[in-house]
Protein backbone atom coordinates (compact mmCIF):
# COMPACT_ATOMS: atom_id res chain seq x y z
CA UNK A 1 0.00 0.00 0.00
CA UNK A 2 0.97 3.63 -0.23
CA UNK A 3 2.17 4.88 3.18
CA UNK A 4 2.38 8.63 3.75
CA UNK A 5 4.19 10.18 6.69
CA UNK A 6 3.83 13.83 7.70
CA UNK A 7 6.58 14.89 10.08
CA UNK A 8 8.30 18.06 11.16
CA UNK A 9 11.60 16.85 9.73
CA UNK A 10 12.91 13.69 8.12
CA UNK A 11 16.13 14.83 6.48
CA UNK A 12 17.16 16.75 9.61
CA UNK A 13 17.66 15.45 13.15
CA UNK A 14 18.77 18.82 14.59
CA UNK A 15 17.03 18.84 18.01
CA UNK A 16 14.79 16.18 16.50
CA UNK A 17 15.48 12.84 18.13
CA UNK A 18 12.42 11.34 16.47
CA UNK A 19 14.14 11.38 13.08
CA UNK A 20 16.04 8.16 13.78
CA UNK A 21 12.91 6.11 14.44
CA UNK A 22 10.80 7.69 11.69
CA UNK A 23 13.53 7.04 9.16
CA UNK A 24 13.88 3.44 10.29
CA UNK A 25 10.14 2.81 10.04
CA UNK A 26 10.06 4.32 6.55
CA UNK A 27 12.99 2.10 5.53
CA UNK A 28 11.35 -1.07 6.88
CA UNK A 29 7.98 -0.34 5.28
CA UNK A 30 9.77 0.17 1.99
CA UNK A 31 11.67 -3.09 2.43
CA UNK A 32 8.34 -4.88 2.92
CA UNK A 33 7.24 -3.68 -0.51
CA UNK A 34 5.15 -0.66 0.44
CA UNK A 35 5.43 2.70 -1.30
CA UNK A 36 6.56 5.30 1.25
CA UNK A 37 6.19 9.06 0.79
CA UNK A 38 7.42 11.49 3.45
CA UNK A 39 6.34 15.12 3.68
CA UNK A 40 8.36 17.66 5.68
CA UNK A 41 7.97 21.46 5.68
CA UNK A 42 10.70 23.11 3.67
CA UNK A 43 11.14 25.80 6.33
CA UNK A 44 10.82 23.64 9.46
CA UNK A 45 13.02 24.80 12.33
CA UNK A 46 14.98 21.52 12.43
CA UNK A 47 15.92 21.79 8.76
CA UNK A 48 16.76 25.48 8.91
CA UNK A 49 18.97 25.02 11.99
CA UNK A 50 20.74 22.05 10.41
CA UNK A 51 21.47 24.07 7.29
CA UNK A 52 22.72 26.95 9.44
CA UNK A 53 25.06 24.61 11.35
CA UNK A 54 26.50 22.56 8.51
CA UNK A 55 24.95 23.56 5.21
CA UNK A 56 22.68 21.35 3.13
CA UNK A 57 25.17 18.53 2.51
CA UNK A 58 24.15 16.69 5.67
CA UNK A 59 20.52 16.68 4.56
CA UNK A 60 21.53 15.30 1.17
CA UNK A 61 23.48 12.54 2.93
CA UNK A 62 20.29 11.44 4.68
CA UNK A 63 18.35 11.35 1.42
CA UNK A 64 21.11 9.23 -0.13
CA UNK A 65 20.85 6.75 2.77
CA UNK A 66 17.15 6.19 2.02
CA UNK A 67 17.01 5.99 -1.79
CA UNK A 68 13.72 4.06 -1.85
CA UNK A 69 11.86 6.71 0.20
CA UNK A 70 10.15 9.54 -1.67
CA UNK A 71 11.02 12.57 0.49
CA UNK A 72 9.14 15.75 -0.38
CA UNK A 73 9.52 19.24 1.07
CA UNK A 74 6.34 21.27 1.03
CA UNK A 75 5.24 24.85 1.65
CA UNK A 76 1.91 26.66 2.00
CA UNK A 77 1.00 25.80 -1.58
CA UNK A 78 0.74 22.06 -0.82
CA UNK A 79 -2.29 20.46 -2.47
CA UNK A 80 -3.38 18.13 0.32
CA UNK A 81 -5.87 16.22 -1.81
CA UNK A 82 -3.15 15.48 -4.33
CA UNK A 83 -0.67 14.55 -1.58
CA UNK A 84 -3.09 12.06 -0.02
CA UNK A 85 -4.28 10.55 -3.28
CA UNK A 86 -4.02 6.77 -3.29
CA UNK A 87 -2.91 6.49 0.34
CA UNK A 88 -3.62 3.32 2.30
CA UNK A 89 -1.94 4.51 5.51
CA UNK A 90 -1.27 8.06 6.72
CA UNK A 91 0.73 8.80 9.88
CA UNK A 92 0.83 12.36 11.20
CA UNK A 93 3.51 13.10 13.79
CA UNK A 94 2.59 15.37 16.69
CA UNK A 95 5.13 18.07 15.72
CA UNK A 96 2.84 19.30 12.97
CA UNK A 97 0.65 22.42 12.90
CA UNK A 98 -2.88 21.95 14.31
CA UNK A 99 -4.28 23.23 11.02
CA UNK A 100 -2.60 20.47 9.02
CA UNK A 101 -3.67 17.81 11.55
CA UNK A 102 -7.26 19.03 11.39
CA UNK A 103 -7.30 19.18 7.59
CA UNK A 104 -6.06 15.61 7.20
CA UNK A 105 -8.48 14.35 9.86
CA UNK A 106 -11.39 16.12 8.20
CA UNK A 107 -10.74 14.33 4.93
CA UNK A 108 -10.71 10.98 6.72
CA UNK A 109 -13.96 11.83 8.53
CA UNK A 110 -15.57 12.62 5.18
CA UNK A 111 -14.75 9.16 3.89
CA UNK A 112 -11.15 9.13 2.69
CA UNK A 113 -10.21 5.42 2.47
CA UNK A 114 -6.84 5.46 4.24
CA UNK A 115 -6.11 4.41 7.82
CA UNK A 116 -5.13 7.57 9.70
CA UNK A 117 -2.92 7.53 12.81
CA UNK A 118 -1.58 10.31 15.04
CA UNK A 119 1.94 9.62 16.36
CA UNK A 120 2.93 11.11 19.74
CA UNK A 121 6.55 10.87 20.93
CA UNK A 122 6.70 13.73 23.43
CA UNK A 123 5.85 14.62 27.02
CA UNK A 124 3.49 17.50 26.21
CA UNK A 125 0.54 15.39 27.33
CA UNK A 126 1.72 15.94 30.91
CA UNK A 127 3.77 19.16 30.64
CA UNK A 128 1.63 21.16 28.20
CA UNK A 129 -1.75 19.43 27.85
CA UNK A 130 -3.36 22.61 26.50
CA UNK A 131 -1.16 22.35 23.42
CA UNK A 132 -2.32 18.83 22.66
CA UNK A 133 -5.93 19.71 23.44
CA UNK A 134 -5.82 22.05 20.42
CA UNK A 135 -5.45 19.08 18.08
CA UNK A 136 -8.67 17.89 16.48
CA UNK A 137 -8.24 14.11 16.28
CA UNK A 138 -11.91 13.30 15.66
CA UNK A 139 -11.21 12.03 12.17
CA UNK A 140 -8.26 9.88 13.19
CA UNK A 141 -8.54 6.11 13.50
CA UNK A 142 -6.20 6.05 16.48
CA UNK A 143 -3.13 7.31 18.27
CA UNK A 144 0.31 5.72 18.27
CA UNK A 145 1.71 6.53 21.73
CA UNK A 146 5.35 5.74 22.47
CA UNK A 147 4.54 4.32 25.89
CA UNK A 148 1.64 2.73 27.74
CA UNK A 149 1.46 5.61 30.23
CA UNK A 150 0.95 8.04 27.35
CA UNK A 151 -1.64 5.78 25.73
CA UNK A 152 -3.65 5.77 28.94
CA UNK A 153 -3.59 9.59 29.09
CA UNK A 154 -5.14 9.86 25.63
CA UNK A 155 -7.93 7.50 26.59
CA UNK A 156 -8.53 8.96 30.04
CA UNK A 157 -8.76 12.54 28.80
CA UNK A 158 -10.94 11.59 25.86
CA UNK A 159 -8.47 12.84 23.26
CA UNK A 160 -8.88 9.61 21.32
CA UNK A 161 -11.25 6.67 21.32
CA UNK A 162 -8.53 4.25 20.31
CA UNK A 163 -4.81 4.36 21.13
CA UNK A 164 -1.95 1.92 20.73
CA UNK A 165 1.35 1.56 22.56
CA UNK A 166 4.06 1.81 19.91
CA UNK A 167 7.52 2.21 21.40
CA UNK A 168 10.47 3.61 19.52
CA UNK A 169 13.23 1.23 18.41
CA UNK A 170 16.60 1.05 16.66
CA UNK A 171 17.25 1.23 12.94
CA UNK A 172 19.80 -1.56 12.99
CA UNK A 173 20.79 -0.91 9.40
CA UNK A 174 22.53 2.25 10.68
CA UNK A 175 22.90 1.60 14.41
CA UNK A 176 25.19 -1.39 14.72
CA UNK A 177 28.59 -2.29 16.23
CA UNK A 178 31.60 -0.98 14.31
CA UNK A 179 34.49 -3.01 15.74
CA UNK A 180 37.02 -1.64 13.26
CA UNK A 181 36.87 1.78 14.98
CA UNK A 182 39.34 2.20 17.85
CA UNK A 183 37.91 3.08 21.26
CA UNK A 184 39.78 6.28 22.08
CA UNK A 185 37.48 7.67 24.80
CA UNK A 186 36.05 6.46 28.08
CA UNK A 187 32.58 8.02 27.79
CA UNK A 188 30.53 9.48 24.97
CA UNK A 189 27.19 11.20 25.47
CA UNK A 190 24.83 12.21 22.67
CA UNK A 191 21.92 14.46 23.54
CA UNK A 192 20.57 17.98 23.66
CA UNK A 193 20.70 20.19 26.72
CA UNK A 194 17.35 21.65 25.70
CA UNK A 195 15.22 23.80 27.96
CA UNK A 196 16.78 22.88 31.27
CA UNK A 197 14.49 19.86 31.67
CA UNK A 198 17.41 17.76 32.84
CA UNK A 199 20.18 20.26 33.63
CA UNK A 200 20.45 19.14 37.25
CA UNK A 201 20.40 15.47 36.23
CA UNK A 202 23.09 15.97 33.58
CA UNK A 203 25.34 17.62 36.11
CA UNK A 204 24.75 14.89 38.68
CA UNK A 205 24.86 11.83 36.42
CA UNK A 206 27.28 12.90 33.69
CA UNK A 207 29.43 15.96 34.29
CA UNK A 208 30.48 15.37 37.91
CA UNK A 209 31.09 11.59 37.58
CA UNK A 210 33.40 11.93 34.58
CA UNK A 211 35.19 14.79 36.32
CA UNK A 212 35.76 12.66 39.43
CA UNK A 213 37.01 9.76 37.30
CA UNK A 214 39.13 11.98 35.03
CA UNK A 215 37.39 10.05 32.25
CA UNK A 216 38.16 11.12 28.71
CA UNK A 217 34.71 12.22 27.56
CA UNK A 218 33.01 13.61 24.49
CA UNK A 219 29.59 15.25 24.38
CA UNK A 220 27.51 15.89 21.25
CA UNK A 221 24.32 17.92 21.00
CA UNK A 222 22.70 21.31 20.53
CA UNK A 223 20.92 23.98 22.57
CA UNK A 224 23.56 24.09 25.30
CA UNK A 225 23.32 27.09 27.59
CA UNK A 226 26.33 29.21 28.57
CA UNK A 227 26.20 27.64 32.02
CA UNK A 228 26.26 24.18 30.44
CA UNK A 229 29.26 25.08 28.30
CA UNK A 230 31.11 26.35 31.37
CA UNK A 231 30.37 23.21 33.35
CA UNK A 232 31.49 21.00 30.48
CA UNK A 233 34.69 22.95 29.98
CA UNK A 234 35.52 22.95 33.69
CA UNK A 235 35.06 19.17 33.77
CA UNK A 236 37.56 18.74 30.94
CA UNK A 237 34.92 17.36 28.61
CA UNK A 238 35.30 17.74 24.85
CA UNK A 239 32.18 19.33 23.34
CA UNK A 240 31.66 18.48 19.66
CA UNK A 241 28.38 20.20 18.81
CA UNK A 242 25.65 18.75 16.61
CA UNK A 243 26.07 15.13 15.56
CA UNK A 244 23.78 14.04 12.72
CA UNK A 245 22.01 10.85 13.73
CA UNK A 246 23.37 8.78 10.85
CA UNK A 247 26.89 9.34 12.22
CA UNK A 248 26.07 8.30 15.78
CA UNK A 249 27.19 4.68 15.43
CA UNK A 250 30.72 5.81 14.61
CA UNK A 251 30.70 8.15 17.63
CA UNK A 252 29.54 5.37 19.96
CA UNK A 253 32.23 3.08 18.57
CA UNK A 254 34.98 5.43 19.79
CA UNK A 255 34.01 5.07 23.47
CA UNK A 256 33.98 2.38 26.15
CA UNK A 257 30.68 3.46 27.73
CA UNK A 258 27.77 5.86 27.58
CA UNK A 259 25.17 7.29 29.94
CA UNK A 260 21.37 7.51 29.72
CA UNK A 261 19.85 10.60 31.36
CA UNK A 262 16.08 10.78 30.75
CA UNK A 263 14.33 14.12 30.84
CA UNK A 264 12.49 14.83 34.07
CA UNK A 265 8.94 14.65 32.66
CA UNK A 266 9.56 11.12 31.41
CA UNK A 267 11.22 9.89 34.58
CA UNK A 268 8.58 11.45 36.85
CA UNK A 269 5.32 11.43 34.91
CA UNK A 270 5.61 9.02 31.98
CA UNK A 271 7.19 5.84 33.35
CA UNK A 272 8.12 3.07 30.98
CA UNK A 273 9.44 5.37 28.22
CA UNK A 274 13.22 5.35 27.70
CA UNK A 275 14.91 7.87 25.47
CA UNK A 276 15.90 6.80 21.97
CA UNK A 277 19.53 6.72 23.19
CA UNK A 278 18.87 3.48 25.07
CA UNK A 279 17.95 1.74 21.82
CA UNK A 280 20.77 3.41 19.90
CA UNK A 281 23.54 2.58 22.37
CA UNK A 282 22.51 -1.05 22.84
CA UNK A 283 22.20 -1.51 19.07
CA UNK A 284 25.73 -0.18 18.68
CA UNK A 285 27.15 -2.58 21.25
CA UNK A 286 28.24 -0.04 23.84
CA UNK A 287 27.51 -0.59 27.56
CA UNK A 288 25.14 1.98 29.02
CA UNK A 289 24.57 3.23 32.57
CA UNK A 290 21.20 4.83 33.22
CA UNK A 291 20.02 7.46 35.63
CA UNK A 292 16.72 6.50 37.31
CA UNK A 293 13.70 5.65 35.19
CA UNK A 294 10.98 3.10 35.79
CA UNK A 295 10.87 0.29 33.23
CA UNK A 296 7.30 -0.66 34.14
CA UNK A 297 6.73 -2.25 30.73
CA UNK A 298 9.75 -4.56 31.06
CA UNK A 299 11.36 -3.24 27.91
CA UNK A 300 14.81 -4.51 28.87
CA UNK A 301 16.02 -7.34 31.12
CA UNK A 302 17.87 -6.35 34.28
CA UNK A 303 21.32 -7.21 32.91
CA UNK A 304 20.97 -5.41 29.56
CA UNK A 305 22.17 -2.15 31.08
CA UNK A 306 23.43 -0.81 34.40
CA UNK A 307 21.63 1.53 36.80
CA UNK A 308 22.67 4.37 39.05
CA UNK A 309 20.32 5.86 41.63
CA UNK A 310 22.48 8.93 42.26
CA UNK A 311 25.65 10.61 41.10
CA UNK A 312 27.91 8.75 43.52
CA UNK A 313 26.62 5.42 42.27
CA UNK A 314 27.03 6.55 38.67
CA UNK A 315 30.69 7.25 39.41
CA UNK A 316 31.18 3.78 40.89
CA UNK A 317 29.39 1.96 38.09
CA UNK A 318 31.25 3.83 35.36
CA UNK A 319 34.52 3.02 37.12
CA UNK A 320 33.57 -0.66 37.18
CA UNK A 321 32.85 -0.63 33.44
CA UNK A 322 36.04 1.19 32.57
CA UNK A 323 38.20 -1.06 34.74
CA UNK A 324 36.71 -4.43 33.74
CA UNK A 325 36.70 -5.02 30.00
CA UNK A 326 35.06 -8.44 30.29
CA UNK A 327 32.20 -7.04 32.37
CA UNK A 328 31.70 -4.19 29.90
CA UNK A 329 31.74 -6.55 26.92
CA UNK A 330 29.19 -8.91 28.52
CA UNK A 331 26.81 -6.05 29.33
CA UNK A 332 27.09 -4.68 25.80
CA UNK A 333 26.48 -8.10 24.24
CA UNK A 334 23.33 -8.69 26.28
CA UNK A 335 21.97 -5.28 25.31
CA UNK A 336 22.74 -5.90 21.64
CA UNK A 337 20.90 -9.23 21.67
CA UNK A 338 17.86 -7.63 23.31
CA UNK A 339 17.65 -4.98 20.58
CA UNK A 340 18.06 -7.52 17.79
CA UNK A 341 15.39 -9.81 19.21
CA UNK A 342 12.76 -7.27 20.33
CA UNK A 343 13.43 -3.64 19.56
CA UNK A 344 14.31 -3.03 15.91
CA UNK A 345 12.40 -0.84 13.49
CA UNK A 346 11.58 -4.07 11.69
CA UNK A 347 9.68 -5.26 14.77
CA UNK A 348 7.80 -1.97 15.00
CA UNK A 349 6.94 -1.94 11.29
CA UNK A 350 5.30 -5.34 11.66
CA UNK A 351 3.45 -4.13 14.76
CA UNK A 352 2.27 -1.09 12.79
CA UNK A 353 0.84 -3.31 10.05
CA UNK A 354 -0.96 -5.34 12.72
CA UNK A 355 -2.46 -2.10 14.02
CA UNK A 356 -3.66 -1.20 10.52
CA UNK A 357 -5.28 -4.63 10.25
CA UNK A 358 -6.98 -4.03 13.58
CA UNK A 359 -8.29 -0.68 12.45
CA UNK A 360 -9.73 -2.35 9.38
CA UNK A 361 -11.66 -4.75 11.56
CA UNK A 362 -9.38 -7.76 11.92
CA UNK A 363 -9.45 -7.51 15.75
CA UNK A 364 -11.60 -5.79 18.42
CA UNK A 365 -10.94 -2.06 18.30
CA UNK A 366 -11.00 -1.37 22.04
CA UNK A 367 -7.90 -3.37 22.93
CA UNK A 368 -4.29 -2.14 22.87
CA UNK A 369 -2.04 -3.44 20.14
CA UNK A 370 -0.03 -6.60 20.61
CA UNK A 371 2.98 -5.85 22.84
CA UNK A 372 6.22 -5.86 20.94
CA UNK A 373 7.76 -8.37 23.32
CA UNK A 374 5.35 -10.96 21.99
CA UNK A 375 6.24 -10.20 18.40
CA UNK A 376 9.84 -11.32 18.89
Amino acid sequence: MKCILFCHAFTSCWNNGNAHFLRGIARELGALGHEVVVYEPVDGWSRTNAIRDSGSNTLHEVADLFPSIDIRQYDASLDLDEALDGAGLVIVHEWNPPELIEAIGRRRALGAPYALLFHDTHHRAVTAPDELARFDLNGFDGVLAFGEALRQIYLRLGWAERAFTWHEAADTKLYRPLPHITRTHDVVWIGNWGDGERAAELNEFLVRPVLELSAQTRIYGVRYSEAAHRAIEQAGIEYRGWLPAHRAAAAFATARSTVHVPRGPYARSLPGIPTIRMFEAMACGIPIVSAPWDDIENMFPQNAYLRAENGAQMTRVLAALLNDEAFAAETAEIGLRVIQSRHTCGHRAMQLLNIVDEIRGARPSSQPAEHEGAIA
Side-chain angles (χ1 to χ4, degrees):
M1 63 182 168
K2 184 176 183 179
C3 306
I4 299 178
L5 172 63
F6 283 87
C7 59
H8 170 74
F10 188 88
T11 53
S12 171
C13 65
W14 195 99
N15 197 49
N16 177 26
N18 307 121
H20 165 196
F21 179 62
L22 297 175
R23 293 167 181 173
I25 289 298
R27 181 204 300 281
E28 295 295 339
L29 289 173
L32 290 169
H34 302 286
E35 178 187 358
V36 182
V37 182
V38 176
Y39 284 92
E40 61 178 6
V42 67
D43 58 351
W45 50 257
S46 183
R47 279 177 50 83
T48 55
N49 277 288
I51 293 170
R52 182 202 64 195
D53 269 14
S54 63
S56 59
N57 287 342
T58 301
L59 308 187
H60 294 316
E61 289 175 12
V62 172
D64 291 341
L65 288 170
F66 299 87
S68 65
I69 308 304
D70 184 356
I71 307 170
R72 304 179 184 180
Q73 286 81 43
Y74 72 90
D75 56 22
S77 66
L78 175 68
D79 184 328
L80 200 52
D81 291 323
E82 181 180 341
L84 295 169
D85 184 48
L89 169 64
V90 179
I91 300 176
V92 184
H93 192 258
E94 43 93 15
W95 280 117
N96 275 292
E99 299 78 15
L100 176 67
I101 294 169
E102 180 183 359
I104 296 175
R106 184 169 60 249
R107 284 162 171 78
R108 175 72 182 99
L110 291 174
Y114 46 77
L116 178 60
L117 293 165
F118 182 72
H119 185 206
D120 192 343
T121 57
H122 202 263
H123 56 63
R124 288 192 291 173
V126 293
T127 58
D130 290 346
E131 291 186 19
L132 285 188
R134 294 182 304 155
F135 296 152
D136 182 358
L137 302 182
N138 288 329
F140 282 70
D141 293 295
V143 170
L144 299 171
F146 76 148
E148 177 63 15
L150 184 59
R151 186 183 84 88
Q152 292 292 345
I153 289 173
Y154 270 88
L155 297 177
R156 186 173 67 250
L157 297 181
W159 290 344
E161 294 183 2
R162 182 164 40 188
F164 307 90
T165 298
W166 197 48
H167 282 285
E168 293 182 303
D171 178 2
T172 51
K173 302 297 190 300
L174 287 181
Y175 288 83
R176 64 191 192 280
L178 300 174
H180 63 281
I181 296 179
T182 303
R183 298 192 183 276
T184 56
H185 285 69
D186 297 316
V187 180
V188 64
W189 191 76
I190 303 172
N192 303 328
W193 201 269
D195 302 314
E197 292 172 337
R198 55 181 167 183
E201 291 89 346
L202 285 170
N203 279 307
E204 179 180 2
F205 289 97
L206 177 62
V207 176
R208 287 199 289 269
V210 300
L211 174 60
E212 291 182 27
L213 294 171
S214 298
Q216 194 166 0
T217 303
R218 276 181 177 168
I219 285 181
Y220 297 88
V222 299
R223 299 179 69 199
Y224 280 63
S225 65
E226 291 185 11
H229 280 291
R230 286 195 300 270
I232 290 168
E233 183 178 358
Q234 291 168 3
I237 296 171
E238 180 185 5
Y239 174 65
R240 298 293 296 269
W242 176 45
L243 179 72
H246 60 283
R247 301 176 190 168
F252 279 129
T254 65
R256 299 176 182 88
S257 65
T258 189
V259 172
H260 173 241
V261 185
R263 296 177 184 271
Y266 296 128
R268 292 187 295 269
S269 304
L270 290 172
I273 302 176
T275 75
I276 191 67
R277 306 303 175 197
M278 290 281 284
F279 301 106
E280 292 175 350
M282 290 184 189
C284 290
I286 182 173
I288 185 168
V289 189
S290 179
W293 72 286
D294 191 354
D295 187 10
I296 61 172
E297 296 186 57
N298 298 314
M299 298 283 291
F300 309 107
Q302 292 291 311
N303 55 354
Y305 67 100
L306 304 173
R307 298 160 183 77
E309 296 301 320
N310 51 54
Q313 193 172 30
M314 175 65 76
T315 303
R316 292 194 297 271
V317 176
L318 277 175
L321 277 178
L322 297 176
N323 293 325
D324 190 336
E325 291 185 9
F327 174 50
E330 180 183 13
T331 303
E333 178 61 27
I334 294 170
L336 176 60
R337 290 201 303 266
V338 169
I339 294 298
Q340 293 174 339
S341 65
R342 296 179 59 183
H343 300 308
T344 70
C345 287
H347 289 106
R348 300 301 189 266
M350 293 305 299
Q351 184 190 3
L352 174 63
L353 296 177
N354 287 340
I355 289 171
V356 173
D357 284 343
E358 179 172 340
I359 287 171
R360 290 172 172 168
R363 296 192 299 273
S365 64
S366 61
Q367 298 299 316
E370 182 178 9
H371 191 277
E372 54 271 25
I375 294 175

